[in-house]
Amino acid sequence: MSGRADSNPQAGQGRPLPRKEADLFRNVVKFYESKSYKKGLKNADVILKRFPNHGETLCMKGLIVNAMASSRVVEADGRGEGDKKKEAVDLIKRGLMMDMRSHVCWHVYGLLHRSCQDYSEAIKAYKQALRIDPENLQILRDLGLLQVQMRDLAGFRETRLAILTLRPNSKVHWLTYALAVHVGGDPAGAVDVIDSYTDTLDEDTAPEFQRNFESSELVMYKNRAMGEAAGDDEAGLRGALENLDRIEPVAVDRTGWLLARVDYQLRLRMYDEAAGSCLMLFERGITEDHRIHG
């Protein structure tokens, strides 16, 4: 190819950058993520010198300029923050217009709106990006964070389920989905999700069945969800109390375990047993908690 500036190699046709420019574009992304903004700009300008209408590079350059404005990186030309912000918006909008079928462009457009705290528009942009690349984990994570920010708990649950479906071997994704179900008002569903996760594990070798802090937090969280799901139902409360007794060997947080036990015993009107549990708490020096007085 000649050294002159070429037209956009994609131009809506899905043609990739040549190898040299593709490597430079990966460097642009890497430098942005590591906050080496000036290096990122230098690499983006090299690509744009040859492909001035390459949408994804225009968007990434705009994202870098926006980050520099937000972090107040001083430029030699002395431009103010407002000028940089305007340049960033113009670059990103231009890049999106050049390649509206790129999930990268829509993702960057969403990141721009997020930086301006325009979360509703950012969510719309993320969703458009996912229509193009529905299995992009980074975009799904970014979408989930904003859905929590906007209290779209139903949407957050759907997003975390999509992530779990893509990466079912990750403990983090199972537990985050359980949390999404729980905060969406379904504690019993959260218990079912945790049970589904533990059913995939080997009880003899998995650390989740051994006594350690992480396992303790997991079993105590599941038990709390069981208690919430039970409400005032006596059978449900007894089930939660029985579960609490079963997890005692794993629970490291002895104080939290005893407090939960007292709570269930009082709700079940097991006053003599609750008194005994309270005495155990007093022996541990827990004398200021109003829940164990009276």
Side-chain angles (χ1 to χ4, degrees):
M1 287 188 178
S2 64
R4 64 181 176 82
D6 296 328
S7 62
N8 180 4
Q10 291 186 333
Q13 300 176 21
R15 287 182 289 158
L17 285 167
R19 178 177 296 179
K20 178 183 177 182
E21 284 74 19
D23 290 340
L24 287 172
F25 184 79
R26 282 190 286 271
N27 287 338
V28 171
V29 176
K30 180 183 70 175
F31 287 135
Y32 167 73
E33 292 174 345
S34 63
K35 298 184 179 181
S36 301
Y37 299 135
K38 293 183 179 180
K39 291 181 179 179
L41 277 182
K42 183 177 180 181
N43 281 260
D45 286 337
V46 172
I47 300 171
L48 293 172
K49 184 177 181 180
R50 186 172 183 186
F51 302 111
N53 295 323
H54 185 248
E56 293 182 356
T57 304
L58 286 166
C59 284
M60 283 305 304
K61 181 178 179 179
L63 192 61
I64 291 172
V65 172
N66 184 64
M68 293 174 72
S70 300
S71 59
R72 294 176 173 81
V73 175
V74 178
E75 286 292 296
D77 58 15
R79 288 179 302 157
E81 180 181 346
D83 293 334
K84 287 184 182 178
K85 285 281 188 181
K86 184 179 184 303
E87 180 189 359
V89 172
D90 291 343
L91 283 166
I92 292 172
K93 286 185 175 180
R94 181 182 163 204
L96 182 61
M97 290 299 296
M98 290 295 174
D99 195 353
M100 297 191 72
R101 296 195 300 181
S102 166
H103 71 276
V104 173
C105 293
W106 282 106
H107 188 196
V108 170
Y109 191 53
L111 292 173
L112 174 68
H113 281 297
R114 188 181 73 177
S115 72
C116 299
Q117 299 182 355
D118 189 353
Y119 301 132
S120 296
E121 289 301 316
I123 288 174
K124 291 178 184 177
Y126 290 156
K127 288 182 176 179
Q128 181 61 40
L130 288 169
R131 290 189 184 99
I132 300 167
D133 186 7
E135 297 186 358
N136 190 298
L137 284 174
Q138 186 58 57
I139 301 175
L140 284 166
R141 290 192 193 100
D142 288 346
L143 174 61
L145 287 172
L146 284 192
Q147 286 170 326
V148 170
Q149 184 81 16
M150 298 299 290
R151 302 297 189 267
D152 178 11
L153 301 181
F156 178 57
R157 176 173 177 166
E158 291 178 5
T159 300
R160 293 311 310 190
L161 178 59
I163 293 174
L164 176 60
T165 302
L166 292 172
R167 293 291 186 274
N169 294 327
S170 171
K171 176 181 179 179
V172 170
H173 297 330
W174 277 99
L175 300 187
T176 309
Y177 178 56
L179 180 63
V181 173
H182 191 174
V183 299
D186 186 8
V191 173
D192 291 339
V193 173
I194 295 172
D195 286 340
S196 296
Y197 167 67
T198 55
D199 286 345
T200 67
L201 305 175
D202 186 341
E203 192 167 343
D204 295 326
T205 59
E208 284 78 4
F209 296 102
Q210 299 170 12
R211 183 180 172 85
N212 57 65
F213 285 103
E214 192 170 319
S215 300
S216 174
E217 290 299 300
L218 176 58
V219 295
M220 289 298 293
Y221 170 68
K222 174 188 169 182
N223 183 264
R224 189 179 76 178
M226 291 178 68
E228 290 183 24
D232 295 326
D233 179 65
E234 182 175 342
L237 288 171
R238 289 191 180 278
L241 181 58
E242 290 169 4
N243 173 263
L244 194 67
D245 290 334
R246 286 195 299 272
I247 66 176
E248 182 178 7
V250 180
V252 176
D253 182 7
R254 182 67 177 175
T255 298
W257 184 88
L258 284 169
L259 286 169
R261 191 182 188 198
V262 170
D263 179 62
Y264 292 137
Q265 289 168 338
L266 289 174
R267 290 162 70 183
L268 288 166
R269 297 180 179 82
M270 300 168 61
Y271 299 123
D272 292 339
E273 293 85 346
S277 298
C278 287
L279 289 174
M280 296 172 70
L281 282 166
F282 287 142
E283 290 172 359
R284 296 180 64 82
I286 309 302
T287 59
E288 302 300 325
D289 196 310
H290 68 90
R291 289 174 293 180
I292 61 174
H293 288 278

